[in-house]
Amino acid sequence: MSLREQLCAYGRRAVELGLVIGSSGNLSVREGDLVAVTPAGAALDRLTPQMCPIVDVEGHLVEGDLQPSSETPMHLAVYAATGAGAVVHTHSVFGTVVATTMTELPPVHYNALLLGGAVRVAPYATYGTPELAANVREALAGRKAALMANHGGVTVGATLEEAFEATRLLEWLCEVYVRGLGVGAPTVLTGEQLDAVVERALNPPAFPRRASS
Ligand SMILES: [Zn+2]
């Protein structure tokens, strides 16, 4: 699948899964110094490959008739800082709820480790600005996900599939936390408990083979 075809496929999926309503999110995927990005203001479930602009990592338009997403500077800042292969940004409901109420999503489930642990909320700045890009870059240090205050979430991956799955996981973790608050005070895992998960994942027990008769 070409980079632009990937944007169309994952754009559709993001809308189908309710992670994005209309144009309230943007995706990009990189190959070398070229980045295919979703166009500004377009519904993500109605993209065609030709609609998706290609820019270079410095932000010059290389191909396409439509303007790149207004959040393209943030995507490019993330590529420069992380060397990621793809970036996904959405205004998904539970991610946005956490981003409007907290400064960090605490790790209440061990799968938070797949995103690097507690997810930081980048301080608020106007969408599309270099200031927001800088805040997100900082919040992503050592993480695969960050939240943007009063705005939404952003995830990275080596591939668009990886970045997309990180967005699904981020939304799930935020939903568990928010729903947990409705029942009681969610227990946050300790550093020791998280270290034990890493240890276990690195050393899975082997099942002994039954002797054949
Ligand atoms: Zn946004």
Side-chain angles (χ1 to χ4, degrees):
M1 234 192 302
S2 74
L3 299 185
R4 289 160 135 183
E5 285 168 344
Q6 291 182 46
L7 294 178
C8 299
Y10 283 98
R12 257 196 316 276
R13 198 148 155 67
V15 173
E16 274 165 19
L17 293 173
L19 294 165
V20 166
I21 293 172
S23 63
S24 66
N26 34 74
L27 286 63
S28 71
V29 55
R30 180 177 69 87
E31 201 172 82
D33 70 343
L34 293 182
V35 176
V37 61
T38 51
L44 291 193
D45 55 346
R46 291 185 202 159
L47 297 176
T48 62
Q50 291 69 31
M51 286 169 73
C52 298
I54 293 179
V55 298
D56 66 17
V57 287
E58 276 137 24
H60 303 106
L61 186 60
V62 175
E63 218 176 311
D65 298 324
L66 300 179
Q67 282 299 302
S69 159
S70 54
E71 239 25 296
T72 300
M74 186 265 286
H75 288 241
L76 297 181
V78 169
Y79 286 125
T82 66
V87 176
V88 172
H89 161 58
T90 77
H91 303 167
S92 60
V93 175
F94 288 95
T96 306
V97 168
V98 172
T100 54
T101 51
M102 306 182 67
T103 55
E104 173 178 286
L105 174 70
V108 294
H109 190 284
Y110 68 86
N111 275 354
L113 285 169
L114 295 170
L115 302 179
V119 178
R120 302 183 192 102
V121 179
Y124 182 80
T126 309
Y127 83 93
T129 58
E131 191 188 354
L132 179 61
N135 293 351
V136 168
R137 198 180 53 212
E138 214 161 289
L140 269 175
R143 301 284 190 274
K144 288 186 172 167
L147 293 159
M148 300 146 84
N150 300 82
H151 185 158
V154 57
T155 59
V156 299
T159 62
L160 187 51
E161 182 182 11
E162 250 185 62
F164 188 81
E165 287 306 312
T167 280
R168 290 184 66 196
L169 176 58
L170 174 62
E171 179 65 359
W172 181 82
L173 289 166
C174 288
E175 181 168 359
V176 166
Y177 189 82
V178 169
R179 289 189 186 274
L181 286 174
V183 178
T187 308
V188 178
L189 294 172
T190 64
E192 201 175 310
Q193 286 170 325
L194 293 170
D195 288 346
V197 171
V198 174
E199 176 66 21
R200 172 81 183 189
L202 292 174
N203 302 291
F207 287 85
R209 195 169 287 280
R210 187 164 71 174
S212 51
S213 52

